[in-house]
Amino acid sequence: MLNRLQSLKKNENLIKFYFNNNYNNLTRYFCTGGSGGGSDIFSTKNSKDAINSTIRSKEDIEEEIKGFQNAPQIKPKIPVDPASLHLSYSIQIAIQKAYDEFMNGKPEEALKRYYWVLSHTPADYAVRIQRATVLESLSRLDDAIIDCNTVIKNSTEGEILSEAFVIKGICLVRKEKYNEAIVAFEKSLLLIHNPKIVDLKREAEMMLYPDTVIVPNHEDDYEFFNGLSSTLMGNAMVKKSPIHGRGIFATRDIEEEELLFEAPSLLSISTNLAKHKYEKHDDEHCNNCHLSLQPVELQNDREISKSKEFPKIEDTLSRMTNLPLGSISGVCCPNCNEAIFCSSECEAQGMARHRLICSGTPSNVHTNFLNKFYHDISKLDDEERTEYLLMLQVFSLQYTTGGNQDEPLRSMQMDQFLKRLVHTEPSKNHTTSYLSRKDMKIYQSIKGIFSNREITQEIYHRVKSIIRLNAVAFPTSRIKILSEKNPMDELGYSFDFQEIPSQQLASILMQGSFFNHSCEPNVFIATPVVNDKSIRFCTRRPIKKGEELFISYLDGEKLTTEKRRTTLKETYSFICNCQACTSRKTIDFLSILD
Ligand SMILES: [Zn+2]
Ligand SMILES: [Zn+2]
Ligand SMILES: [Zn+2]
């Protein structure tokens, strides 16, 4: 008897459990149906069949009750009133009827039944959620929210709570309270992760910030691009662009030649290194920030250093250039004695990355692969070699300590950034290999250098394509200070500043990667660039608030419209429709489109 009772109780739970499960299905359909609600979204036969097969038949239950009534009279531990069993039976039937009615497009009738059920079992939160859903479908949003809040306040079951938050969120979206809706969806996601709810949250975010993010390819795009915009010194933001995907836009009126923002590159390499002595490290520049180790050269420094005012002069010039005067001794990598860093800060930052590709690393295997890599790229032309050297840097940066070494391109902020850079997808035709024979060799070397890391061919391809589409080249400078005796000046001298070309860098920019191209750009990289940790972007002409900001992806030389468009099409796979390109009528569009 006792056993029987327990089994019946268990089955009651089972019914609820299945109902919840099916209800989950409903929520899922609900989610795909958008925020509109309505009975059509429930018209899935499968979930209805499922519920019919899991709820026991009326006969089964009646038999069970009969069995209970006819059982020998042993006093049960928990007193059971057969009438209450009948009531609970009627409730179950009512719940199913309500469900059927709702499924069959009779939400009003379903609702009446749910009110009856909940008047008897107010603490049945699964049923309360169902009523909230029906209320939402009837646009009785406030009543639905009240039901959800009751559940949120009282239920302790994660699954039910999660659903309550979702329905509340959906109602809030319909009430155009997007902020509160986002919070509700977030709470739901904390309890149960469901991609459909992620979509709902994203939709609410899109409504709240209509033009912040264009192609929300990633769950955290909104946070990422907002974070990125916050580094643009209040002058610009990243948002959807009518040109290509995303772009950078002015957030206020900006004068001509005004500083837009200053930002570091993600990484750079010297193109001189690629051309001449790529196997050796450059001993004239910092391996991390590429600052010349003689950043400021003071003409007549011997004579000036004898001046009484010299400490003052040194201080003034150093402040004006923001650089130390004279030579920097630098710190060498203790393993290879070749890579050199300009400061302890650069040493800390740079060594983490350099260590992985240092030729003086004791491990033979590693060095062999590194040598093999350099050998593989030695026969390539400068441009291609530069790309592969950048690739080595991207991988070394990705795998520095702090990154998750088992999950390449998944962790760190670096990954956040990389995954959003423009890249081409690997060709779908090559199911066995994405890579050419040449790339296959280099791929094996790269894998060897970063041994035990899961660099797949796909990741290799992607990094290569990111570099191809995002790398930029720009010159860096040293500063030469010319001096002239000037008794009228309180320092005894007057000074003039000159830029001396230092080296050309190939870089992957951070913020700068989100500029679109124009052949008549309104933004340029200001000179001098002394290191790649502070690249300054300035306006070329007055900008109006809301205008899109462009740089030119092409070298400064004067090219014909045709040449520019062809180059852009070949290198970046887009056809330039900037002012300069479209104001000329002589272009043969079709020849480019081929
Ligand atoms: Zn440095
Ligand atoms: Zn080293
Ligand atoms: Zn153009």
Side-chain angles (χ1 to χ4, degrees):
M1 175 69 210
L2 191 60
N3 282 344
R4 232 180 140 61
L5 177 68
Q6 272 172 350
S7 95
L8 184 61
K9 286 249 166 210
K10 214 177 187 172
N11 279 328
E12 268 183 38
N13 289 336
L14 206 63
I15 292 166
K16 271 190 204 162
F17 174 73
Y18 274 110
F19 219 114
N20 289 344
N21 263 8
N22 274 287
Y23 186 67
N24 264 341
N25 283 335
L26 299 185
T27 308
R28 246 162 254 151
Y29 292 115
F30 204 0
C31 295
T32 28
S35 54
S39 57
D40 55 331
I41 48 165
F42 284 86
S43 62
T44 154
K45 217 170 170 303
N46 286 345
S47 60
K48 198 181 167 193
D49 289 349
I51 207 160
N52 283 344
S53 65
T54 51
I55 290 195
R56 296 168 310 151
S57 69
K58 190 177 168 181
E59 288 77 10
D60 278 354
I61 297 174
E62 276 175 347
E63 197 157 296
E64 200 148 349
I65 293 169
K66 225 187 273 164
F68 166 70
Q69 286 167 327
N70 297 339
Q73 296 292 316
I74 302 167
K75 211 178 175 190
K77 253 190 189 163
I78 306 159
V80 172
D81 170 12
S84 83
L85 264 179
H86 274 292
L87 177 64
S88 98
Y89 166 69
S90 317
I91 286 170
Q92 281 157 32
I93 297 298
I95 292 171
Q96 189 174 352
K97 273 192 182 160
Y99 173 88
D100 288 340
E101 282 161 347
F102 189 42
M103 295 289 277
N104 294 324
K106 297 176 192 160
E108 270 100 354
E109 281 150 55
L111 190 60
K112 269 186 214 149
R113 230 176 276 280
Y114 280 128
Y115 269 101
W116 178 82
V117 170
L118 282 168
S119 70
H120 289 93
T121 58
D124 191 330
Y125 300 117
V127 171
R128 196 170 286 270
I129 287 291
Q130 290 168 37
R131 185 169 77 181
T133 309
V134 178
L135 285 166
E136 191 273 349
S137 79
L138 291 166
S139 298
R140 285 176 55 183
L141 303 175
D142 291 325
D143 291 334
I145 290 173
I146 290 170
D147 266 349
C148 292
N149 284 341
T150 306
V151 176
I152 289 163
K153 201 173 149 202
N154 298 300
S155 173
T156 50
E157 256 184 86
E159 210 168 331
I160 291 179
L161 276 170
S162 175
E163 286 171 10
F165 279 118
V166 175
I167 294 161
K168 184 178 174 180
I170 289 169
C171 293
L172 287 166
V173 166
R174 290 186 64 192
K175 286 167 71 79
E176 295 180 15
K177 292 184 172 175
Y178 303 115
N179 259 327
E180 290 169 51
I182 291 166
V183 173
F185 292 137
E186 269 166 4
K187 287 188 175 165
S188 173
L189 282 166
L190 282 177
L191 292 157
I192 286 169
H193 190 87
N194 179 337
K196 295 274 165 55
I197 301 168
V198 173
D199 286 345
L200 284 171
K201 182 182 153 222
R202 196 175 291 161
E203 270 172 42
E205 284 169 348
M206 295 283 277
M207 297 302 286
L208 188 58
Y209 310 97
D211 56 5
T212 308
V213 178
I214 11 83
V215 204
N217 292 323
H218 306 282
E219 198 181 311
D220 47 357
D221 265 5
Y222 164 67
E223 290 92 323
F224 175 81
F225 284 109
N226 257 14
L228 197 77
S229 294
S230 74
T231 65
L232 305 182
M233 295 169 59
N235 294 328
M237 72 181 291
V238 182
K239 65 175 192 180
K240 142 169 106 180
S241 163
I243 314 280
H244 298 286
R246 316 148 293 211
I248 301 183
F249 291 76
T251 49
R252 63 174 182 87
D253 291 354
I254 306 171
E255 304 279 306
E256 184 176 342
E257 301 221 344
E258 210 181 310
L259 176 67
L260 192 63
F261 62 86
E262 186 175 316
S265 78
L266 180 69
L267 56 91
S268 296
I269 59 156
S270 159
T271 57
N272 304 336
L273 211 61
K275 275 176 188 155
H276 307 300
K277 39 178 189 170
Y278 59 90
E279 279 186 76
K280 283 197 73 194
H281 286 283
D282 178 356
D283 53 8
E284 288 166 20
H285 297 90
C286 172
N287 190 281
N288 184 54
C289 72
H290 304 281
L291 181 73
S292 161
L293 295 178
Q294 237 213 335
V296 182
E297 183 189 335
L298 177 58
Q299 197 192 33
N300 297 332
D301 57 344
R302 274 203 184 161
E303 185 204 309
I304 297 172
S305 63
K306 286 178 198 145
S307 150
K308 265 198 308 203
E309 304 292 341
F310 186 65
K312 236 179 175 179
I313 292 174
E314 204 176 18
D315 185 54
T316 309
L317 294 177
S318 184
R319 257 191 297 113
M320 285 174 86
T321 56
N322 224 343
L323 292 166
L325 257 55
S327 298
I328 301 170
S329 49
V331 194
C332 266
C333 163
N335 297 326
C336 64
N337 229 5
E338 280 173 346
I340 192 161
F341 301 98
C342 73
S343 63
S344 50
E345 195 193 337
C346 272
E347 187 195 6
Q349 237 181 47
M351 271 306 284
R353 164 165 39 135
H354 169 73
R355 194 171 286 127
L356 297 172
I357 50 174
C358 171
S359 55
T361 304
S363 150
N364 280 333
V365 186
H366 167 95
T367 316
N368 287 348
F369 279 113
L370 203 60
N371 289 337
K372 199 172 157 294
F373 171 80
Y374 285 128
H375 176 78
D376 290 341
I377 65 169
S378 64
K379 293 174 199 84
L380 306 175
D381 67 33
D382 290 344
E383 198 178 323
E384 246 190 314
R385 197 157 55 223
T386 306
E387 284 178 5
Y388 286 113
L389 286 168
L390 273 174
M391 179 191 264
L392 190 66
Q393 295 290 332
V394 170
F395 279 116
S396 66
L397 189 59
Q398 181 63 44
Y399 296 125
T400 48
T401 45
N404 181 346
Q405 302 182 344
D406 298 318
E407 255 205 297
L409 302 182
R410 294 280 179 280
S411 54
M412 299 170 66
Q413 208 193 337
M414 152 96 168
D415 165 46
Q416 298 284 304
F417 173 71
L418 274 187
K419 73 181 179 188
R420 289 171 172 90
L421 285 183
V422 187
H423 65 277
T424 52
E425 297 293 344
S427 155
K428 297 278 187 295
N429 302 333
H430 301 125
T431 43
T432 47
S433 170
Y434 297 119
L435 309 177
S436 68
R437 274 184 63 186
K438 175 185 75 191
D439 269 318
M440 205 58 205
K441 275 174 80 178
I442 298 173
Y443 167 65
Q444 295 300 346
S445 300
I446 292 263
K447 256 184 90 134
I449 295 166
F450 304 99
S451 51
N452 300 327
R453 271 105 187 200
E454 294 164 12
I455 300 173
T456 62
Q457 290 186 35
E458 192 183 349
I459 288 170
Y460 174 97
H461 173 94
R462 193 156 146 233
V463 169
K464 192 182 168 194
S465 127
I466 282 173
I467 289 164
R468 179 145 294 179
L469 296 175
N470 296 277
V472 293
F474 54 85
T476 62
S477 307
R478 302 166 51 230
I479 310 290
K480 187 169 179 179
I481 303 176
L482 306 174
S483 60
E484 208 176 299
K485 273 203 169 134
N486 182 357
M488 303 297 286
D489 196 291
E490 65 169 300
L491 296 173
Y493 290 90
S494 57
F495 298 100
D496 202 9
F497 297 84
Q498 249 185 12
E499 289 175 35
I500 310 281
S502 179
Q503 61 175 348
Q504 177 103 0
L505 295 183
S507 298
I508 306 284
L509 300 178
M510 287 277 279
Q511 290 80 350
S513 289
F514 295 94
F515 279 112
N516 280 316
H517 163 88
S518 165
C519 302
E520 275 183 343
N522 49 16
V523 170
F524 65 100
I525 294 180
T527 57
V529 179
V530 290
N531 68 51
D532 74 343
K533 296 296 157 228
S534 52
I535 301 167
R536 288 164 301 134
F537 293 88
C538 291
T539 53
R540 197 182 279 278
R541 56 172 175 77
I543 310 271
K544 282 261 165 287
K545 179 180 174 177
E547 237 184 278
E548 177 157 7
L549 301 161
F550 300 97
I551 57 169
S552 172
Y553 294 175
L554 301 173
D555 273 346
E557 319 129 49
K558 295 252 177 294
L559 299 169
T560 62
T561 303
E562 285 79 356
K563 178 73 188 144
R564 287 200 314 267
R565 296 188 113 203
T566 318
T567 311
L568 289 166
K569 174 82 174 77
E570 277 168 6
T571 320
Y572 302 102
S573 307
F574 70 87
I575 293 164
C576 188
N577 284 314
C578 78
Q579 275 261 304
C581 286
T582 48
S583 58
R584 294 262 297 273
K585 287 178 181 132
T586 48
I587 322 144
D588 183 5
F589 284 88
L590 295 171
S591 74
I592 300 164
L593 284 166
D594 281 350

Coordinates of all heavy atoms in Angstrom, one line a residue, residues 525-568:
I525 N 47.4 58.5 -40.6 CA 48.3 58.3 -39.5 C 49.3 59.4 -39.4 O 50.0 59.7 -40.4 CB 49.0 56.9 -39.6 CG1 48.0 55.8 -39.6 CG2 50.0 56.7 -38.6 CD1 48.6 54.4 -39.8
A526 N 49.3 60.1 -38.3 CA 50.1 61.3 -38.1 C 51.5 60.9 -37.9 O 51.8 59.9 -37.2 CB 49.6 62.1 -36.9
T527 N 52.4 61.7 -38.4 CA 53.9 61.4 -38.2 C 54.4 62.4 -37.2 O 53.7 63.5 -37.0 CB 54.6 61.7 -39.5 OG1 54.4 63.0 -40.0 CG2 54.3 60.6 -40.6
P528 N 55.4 62.2 -36.5 CA 56.2 60.9 -36.6 C 55.6 59.8 -35.8 O 55.0 60.0 -34.7 CB 57.6 61.3 -36.0 CG 57.2 62.4 -35.0 CD 56.0 63.1 -35.6
V529 N 55.7 58.6 -36.3 CA 55.4 57.4 -35.5 C 56.8 57.0 -35.0 O 57.6 56.6 -35.7 CB 54.8 56.3 -36.3 CG1 54.5 55.1 -35.5 CG2 53.5 56.8 -37.0
V530 N 56.9 57.1 -33.7 CA 58.2 56.6 -33.1 C 58.2 55.2 -32.7 O 59.2 54.5 -32.6 CB 58.7 57.6 -32.0 CG1 59.1 58.9 -32.6 CG2 57.7 57.7 -30.9
N531 N 57.1 54.7 -32.2 CA 56.9 53.3 -31.9 C 55.5 52.9 -32.2 O 54.6 53.7 -32.4 CB 57.3 53.0 -30.5 CG 56.4 53.7 -29.5 OD1 55.2 53.5 -29.6 ND2 56.9 54.4 -28.5
D532 N 55.2 51.6 -32.2 CA 53.9 51.2 -32.6 C 52.9 51.1 -31.4 O 51.9 50.5 -31.5 CB 53.9 49.9 -33.4 CG 54.2 48.7 -32.5 OD1 54.7 48.9 -31.3 OD2 54.0 47.5 -32.9
K533 N 53.3 51.7 -30.2 CA 52.4 51.6 -29.1 C 51.6 52.9 -29.0 O 50.7 53.0 -28.2 CB 53.2 51.4 -27.8 CG 54.0 50.1 -27.7 CD 53.0 48.9 -27.7 CE 53.7 47.7 -28.1 NZ 52.9 46.9 -29.1
S534 N 51.9 53.9 -29.8 CA 51.1 55.1 -29.9 C 51.0 55.6 -31.3 O 51.8 56.4 -31.7 CB 51.6 56.1 -28.9 OG 53.0 56.4 -29.2
I535 N 50.1 55.0 -32.0 CA 49.8 55.4 -33.4 C 48.7 56.4 -33.3 O 47.6 56.1 -32.8 CB 49.5 54.2 -34.3 CG1 50.7 53.2 -34.2 CG2 49.2 54.7 -35.7 CD1 50.4 51.9 -34.8
R536 N 49.0 57.6 -33.9 CA 48.0 58.7 -33.8 C 47.2 58.8 -35.1 O 47.8 59.0 -36.2 CB 48.6 60.0 -33.4 CG 49.1 60.0 -31.9 CD 50.1 61.1 -31.7 NE 51.2 61.0 -32.6 CZ 51.8 62.0 -33.3 NH1 51.3 63.2 -33.2 NH2 52.8 61.8 -34.0
F537 N 45.9 58.8 -35.0 CA 45.1 59.0 -36.2 C 44.5 60.4 -36.1 O 43.9 60.8 -35.1 CB 43.9 57.9 -36.2 CG 44.4 56.5 -36.4 CD1 44.8 55.8 -35.3 CD2 44.6 56.0 -37.6 CE1 45.3 54.5 -35.4 CE2 45.0 54.7 -37.8 CZ 45.4 53.9 -36.7
C538 N 44.7 61.1 -37.2 CA 44.3 62.5 -37.3 C 43.3 62.7 -38.4 O 43.4 62.0 -39.4 CB 45.5 63.4 -37.4 SG 46.5 63.5 -35.9
T539 N 42.6 63.8 -38.3 CA 41.6 64.1 -39.4 C 42.3 64.9 -40.5 O 43.2 65.8 -40.2 CB 40.4 64.9 -38.9 OG1 41.0 66.1 -38.2 CG2 39.6 64.1 -37.9
R540 N 42.0 64.6 -41.7 CA 42.6 65.3 -42.9 C 41.8 66.5 -43.3 O 42.3 67.4 -43.9 CB 42.6 64.3 -44.0 CG 43.5 64.6 -45.2 CD 43.3 63.6 -46.3 NE 44.1 62.4 -45.9 CZ 45.4 62.3 -46.2 NH1 46.0 63.3 -46.8 NH2 46.0 61.2 -45.9
R541 N 40.5 66.6 -42.9 CA 39.7 67.7 -43.2 C 38.6 67.8 -42.1 O 38.5 66.9 -41.3 CB 39.0 67.6 -44.6 CG 38.3 66.3 -44.8 CD 37.5 66.3 -46.1 NE 36.8 65.0 -46.3 CZ 35.7 64.6 -45.7 NH1 35.1 65.4 -44.8 NH2 35.2 63.5 -46.0
P542 N 37.8 68.9 -42.0 CA 36.8 69.0 -41.0 C 35.8 67.9 -41.1 O 35.4 67.5 -42.3 CB 36.2 70.4 -41.2 CG 37.2 71.1 -42.0 CD 37.9 70.1 -42.9
I543 N 35.4 67.3 -40.0 CA 34.4 66.2 -40.1 C 33.2 66.6 -39.3 O 33.2 67.2 -38.3 CB 35.1 65.0 -39.3 CG1 36.5 64.7 -39.8 CG2 34.2 63.8 -39.3 CD1 36.6 63.8 -41.0
K544 N 32.0 66.1 -39.8 CA 30.8 66.4 -39.1 C 30.5 65.2 -38.3 O 30.8 64.1 -38.6 CB 29.7 66.6 -40.2 CG 29.6 68.0 -40.8 CD 28.6 68.9 -40.1 CE 28.8 70.3 -40.5 NZ 30.0 71.0 -39.9
K545 N 29.8 65.5 -37.1 CA 29.4 64.4 -36.3 C 28.6 63.4 -37.1 O 27.7 63.7 -37.9 CB 28.5 65.0 -35.2 CG 27.9 64.0 -34.2 CD 27.1 64.7 -33.1 CE 26.4 63.6 -32.2 NZ 25.7 64.2 -31.1
G546 N 28.9 62.1 -36.9 CA 28.1 61.0 -37.5 C 28.7 60.6 -38.8 O 28.3 59.6 -39.4
E547 N 29.7 61.3 -39.3 CA 30.3 61.0 -40.6 C 31.2 59.7 -40.4 O 31.8 59.6 -39.4 CB 31.3 62.1 -41.1 CG 31.0 62.7 -42.4 CD 32.0 63.8 -42.8 OE1 31.8 64.9 -42.3 OE2 32.9 63.4 -43.5
E548 N 31.2 58.9 -41.5 CA 32.1 57.8 -41.4 C 33.6 58.2 -41.6 O 33.8 59.1 -42.4 CB 31.8 56.6 -42.4 CG 32.8 55.5 -42.3 CD 32.3 54.1 -42.8 OE1 31.1 54.1 -43.3 OE2 33.0 53.2 -42.6
L549 N 34.5 57.6 -40.9 CA 35.9 58.0 -41.0 C 36.6 56.9 -41.8 O 36.4 55.7 -41.6 CB 36.5 58.1 -39.6 CG 35.8 59.1 -38.8 CD1 36.1 59.0 -37.3 CD2 36.2 60.5 -39.2
F550 N 37.5 57.3 -42.7 CA 38.2 56.4 -43.6 C 39.7 56.6 -43.6 O 40.1 57.7 -43.5 CB 37.7 56.6 -45.1 CG 36.2 56.4 -45.3 CD1 35.4 57.5 -45.3 CD2 35.7 55.1 -45.5 CE1 34.0 57.3 -45.5 CE2 34.4 54.9 -45.7 CZ 33.5 56.0 -45.7
I551 N 40.4 55.5 -43.8 CA 41.8 55.6 -44.1 C 42.0 55.0 -45.5 O 41.0 54.4 -46.1 CB 42.7 54.9 -43.1 CG1 42.4 53.4 -43.0 CG2 42.7 55.6 -41.8 CD1 43.4 52.6 -42.2
S552 N 43.1 55.2 -46.1 CA 43.4 54.6 -47.4 C 44.2 53.3 -47.2 O 45.2 53.3 -46.4 CB 44.1 55.5 -48.3 OG 44.5 54.8 -49.5
Y553 N 43.7 52.2 -47.8 CA 44.5 51.0 -47.7 C 45.6 50.9 -48.6 O 46.4 50.0 -48.6 CB 43.6 49.8 -48.0 CG 42.4 49.5 -47.0 CD1 41.5 48.5 -47.3 CD2 42.3 50.3 -45.9 CE1 40.4 48.3 -46.5 CE2 41.2 50.0 -45.0 CZ 40.3 49.0 -45.3 OH 39.2 48.8 -44.5
L554 N 45.7 51.9 -49.5 CA 46.7 51.8 -50.6 C 47.8 52.8 -50.2 O 47.7 53.7 -49.4 CB 46.1 52.3 -51.9 CG 45.0 51.4 -52.4 CD1 44.3 52.0 -53.7 CD2 45.4 50.0 -52.7
D555 N 49.0 52.5 -50.8 CA 50.1 53.4 -50.6 C 49.8 54.8 -51.2 O 48.9 54.9 -52.0 CB 51.3 52.9 -51.3 CG 52.1 51.9 -50.4 OD1 51.7 51.9 -49.2 OD2 52.9 51.2 -50.8
G556 N 50.5 55.8 -50.7 CA 50.2 57.2 -51.0 C 50.3 57.6 -52.5 O 49.8 58.6 -52.9
E557 N 51.0 56.7 -53.2 CA 51.3 57.1 -54.6 C 50.0 57.4 -55.4 O 49.0 56.9 -55.1 CB 52.0 56.0 -55.4 CG 53.1 55.3 -54.7 CD 52.9 53.8 -54.8 OE1 52.6 53.3 -55.9 OE2 52.9 53.1 -53.7
K558 N 50.2 58.2 -56.4 CA 49.0 58.6 -57.3 C 48.8 57.4 -58.2 O 49.6 57.1 -59.0 CB 49.3 59.8 -58.1 CG 49.5 61.1 -57.2 CD 48.3 62.0 -57.4 CE 48.4 63.3 -56.5 NZ 48.4 63.0 -55.1
L559 N 47.7 56.8 -58.1 CA 47.3 55.7 -59.0 C 46.1 56.1 -59.7 O 45.3 56.9 -59.3 CB 47.0 54.4 -58.2 CG 48.1 53.9 -57.3 CD1 47.6 52.8 -56.4 CD2 49.2 53.3 -58.1
T560 N 45.9 55.5 -60.9 CA 44.7 55.8 -61.7 C 43.5 55.1 -61.0 O 43.7 54.2 -60.2 CB 44.8 55.3 -63.1 OG1 44.9 53.9 -63.0 CG2 45.9 55.8 -63.8
T561 N 42.3 55.6 -61.3 CA 41.1 55.0 -60.6 C 41.1 53.5 -60.9 O 40.8 52.7 -60.0 CB 39.9 55.7 -61.2 OG1 40.0 57.1 -60.9 CG2 38.6 55.2 -60.5
E562 N 41.3 53.2 -62.2 CA 41.3 51.8 -62.6 C 42.3 51.0 -61.8 O 41.9 49.9 -61.3 CB 41.6 51.6 -64.1 CG 40.5 52.0 -65.0 CD 40.4 53.6 -65.2 OE1 41.1 54.3 -64.5 OE2 39.5 54.0 -65.9
K563 N 43.5 51.5 -61.7 CA 44.5 50.7 -61.0 C 44.1 50.6 -59.5 O 44.3 49.5 -58.9 CB 45.8 51.5 -61.1 CG 47.0 50.9 -60.4 CD 47.5 49.7 -61.1 CE 48.6 49.0 -60.2 NZ 48.5 47.5 -60.3
R564 N 43.6 51.6 -58.9 CA 43.2 51.6 -57.5 C 42.2 50.5 -57.3 O 42.2 49.6 -56.4 CB 42.7 52.9 -57.0 CG 43.7 54.0 -56.8 CD 43.1 55.1 -55.9 NE 41.7 55.5 -56.3 CZ 41.4 56.5 -57.1 NH1 42.4 57.2 -57.6 NH2 40.2 56.8 -57.3
R565 N 41.1 50.6 -58.2 CA 40.0 49.6 -58.0 C 40.4 48.2 -58.2 O 40.0 47.3 -57.5 CB 38.9 50.0 -59.0 CG 38.3 51.4 -58.6 CD 37.1 51.6 -59.4 NE 35.9 51.7 -58.6 CZ 34.6 51.4 -59.1 NH1 34.5 51.1 -60.3 NH2 33.6 51.5 -58.3
T566 N 41.3 48.0 -59.2 CA 41.8 46.6 -59.5 C 42.6 46.1 -58.3 O 42.4 45.0 -57.9 CB 42.6 46.6 -60.8 OG1 42.0 47.4 -61.7 CG2 42.8 45.2 -61.3
T567 N 43.5 47.0 -57.8 CA 44.3 46.5 -56.7 C 43.4 46.2 -55.5 O 43.6 45.2 -54.8 CB 45.3 47.7 -56.3 OG1 45.9 48.1 -57.4 CG2 46.3 47.1 -55.3
L568 N 42.4 47.1 -55.2 CA 41.6 46.8 -54.0 C 40.8 45.5 -54.2 O 40.6 44.8 -53.3 CB 40.6 48.0 -53.8 CG 41.3 49.3 -53.3 CD1 40.3 50.5 -53.4 CD2 41.7 49.1 -51.8

